[in-house]
Amino acid sequence: MKHICLNLKRFDVPAEFGGVNRIASPGAWSGYIIGHTQEELKRYEKEKVRFSMYFPEAHILGAVSARAEDCLVRVGCQGVFRENTAPGGNFGAFTTNCPASSARALGCETAIIGHCEERKDKGELIAMGGQAAPDTVDRILNSEMRLAIESGMDVLYCIGEKAEEQENWKEVLKRQLDTGLDGLDKSRVVVAYEPVWAIGPGKIPPDGEYIRKIADYVKEVTGGIDVIYGGGLKAENAAMLASVPEIDGGLIALTRFTGEIGFYPDEYLDIIRIYMENCDKQGKA
């Protein structure tokens, strides 16, 4: 099974407000993306590839409403809170936070948890309080994933090492995997590897051999969990990633990095086409 995931971050913000959205008004944005991709995605066999799109919370209802009955896209949320609603207990005191039960009730089937931006935010908050234990963030993420799974969602769990951690990458990734996945139903989890040290302008991304090495290690530690490349599936690297058999898909974000930078549905479909065509070629080799 291949997993093509799309993290739409805050690509809903219009260009006039400092964002990159030039495709639709914020109110119509998520419906536009679903509406302009779901028909084309039907060309792929649902037994071979799974499509997930992670929307900011304000856009989940629009995305769910735009899905046709036979739509292959699973709508997801960009994280859940570490506590959840409970009958006879805390049923609503979650101001500014999104409990897993809320995301599921809105129609989410999956959640992305542990993205490097989330890890950075949590790590900085913990450091402010003087509690910088290496596994603290991973323990929080474990709570989030547990509640997402209990609420009926699958999870895309992001892991990755920073530049200063590269020398000890095995230790870092093992801690993130062991602590993050502790006690979870691993059949409901896909791991996304983010080379945090390579993300950003001017950075050199890892080559196929490095990605293969990481995927092999993750599968070894986890007992064979599917692993996707979370450092950005793009038109430029789609063929290369398809050639790495240990990688089970990729995480797409922006589709255009020059000119009118942003996410564009047609370019998203082009990336998928290149990747899947090359996967097919590898399968026939």
Side-chain angles (χ1 to χ4, degrees):
M1 170 72 75
K2 294 296 183 182
H3 307 268
I4 306 295
C5 301
L6 171 62
N7 182 16
L8 286 154
K9 300 192 179 185
R10 293 288 357 180
F11 301 158
D12 59 317
V13 180
E16 59 266 33
F17 288 93
V20 297
N21 175 16
R22 297 178 179 86
I23 61 175
S25 68
W29 179 74
S30 60
Y32 181 94
I33 292 169
I34 295 289
H36 282 73
T37 58
Q38 61 181 333
E39 287 302 314
E40 178 65 19
L41 294 178
K42 290 178 185 176
R43 64 184 286 193
Y44 301 103
E45 297 179 42
K46 62 182 180 180
E47 293 81 16
K48 291 186 177 181
V49 58
R50 175 174 283 178
F51 301 103
S52 300
M53 295 184 179
Y54 298 99
F55 289 92
E57 187 178 356
H59 300 283
I60 290 170
L61 284 177
V64 170
S65 298
R67 295 173 76 250
E69 187 174 343
D70 54 352
C71 177
L72 296 184
V73 176
R74 301 193 312 161
V75 173
C77 58
Q78 296 181 338
V80 299
F81 192 49
R82 63 182 181 274
E83 298 178 24
N84 208 0
T85 54
N90 192 340
F91 56 84
F94 296 102
T95 302
T96 79
N97 293 305
C98 179
S101 54
S102 174
R104 189 69 187 97
L106 291 172
C108 289
E109 297 176 83
T110 179
I112 182 171
I113 292 176
H115 188 277
C116 63
E117 292 161 6
E118 180 186 7
R119 286 181 176 275
K120 180 176 182 292
D121 177 59
K122 284 180 166 54
E124 289 175 349
L125 290 173
I126 291 166
M128 285 180 186
Q131 302 294 321
D135 68 342
T136 302
V137 170
D138 300 302
R139 286 191 283 112
I140 295 172
L141 298 176
N142 175 267
S143 297
E144 295 175 351
M145 287 191 285
R146 176 175 55 80
L147 293 174
I149 292 170
E150 288 178 359
S151 295
M153 291 183 282
D154 293 330
V155 170
L156 180 64
Y157 178 46
C158 300
I159 65 169
E161 77 277 26
K162 296 179 283 190
E164 63 270 24
E165 297 171 325
Q166 260 195 288
E167 192 173 314
N168 302 315
W169 66 270
K170 279 190 175 182
E171 177 186 333
V172 172
L173 298 188
K174 190 172 191 307
R175 183 187 70 240
Q176 293 175 351
L177 291 166
D178 287 350
T179 304
L181 297 175
D182 183 42
L184 301 185
D185 178 357
K186 294 179 183 177
S187 70
R188 305 291 297 273
V189 180
V190 172
V191 170
Y193 168 65
E194 294 183 283
V196 184
W197 51 270
I199 297 173
K203 303 289 182 65
I204 299 175
D207 61 16
E209 281 306 308
Y210 191 93
I211 294 169
R212 182 196 301 266
K213 174 181 72 173
I214 297 293
D216 269 339
Y217 182 70
V218 172
K219 288 175 184 286
E220 176 188 333
V221 170
T222 62
I225 284 183
D226 283 355
V227 183
I228 72 171
Y229 180 64
L233 172 58
K234 311 166 190 175
E236 293 79 10
N237 67 6
M240 180 274 286
L241 290 172
S243 73
V244 181
E246 293 82 1
I247 286 292
D248 304 299
L251 179 59
I252 299 171
L254 290 174
T255 61
R256 190 181 304 176
F257 298 85
T258 59
E260 292 190 332
I261 295 170
F263 170 82
Y264 297 90
D266 289 344
E267 295 169 354
Y268 161 79
L269 293 171
D270 285 341
I271 294 169
I272 293 173
R273 176 183 54 77
I274 296 169
Y275 179 77
M276 293 303 297
E277 285 180 357
N278 279 277
C279 284
D280 288 340
K281 289 178 183 177
Q282 295 297 322
K284 294 173 184 176

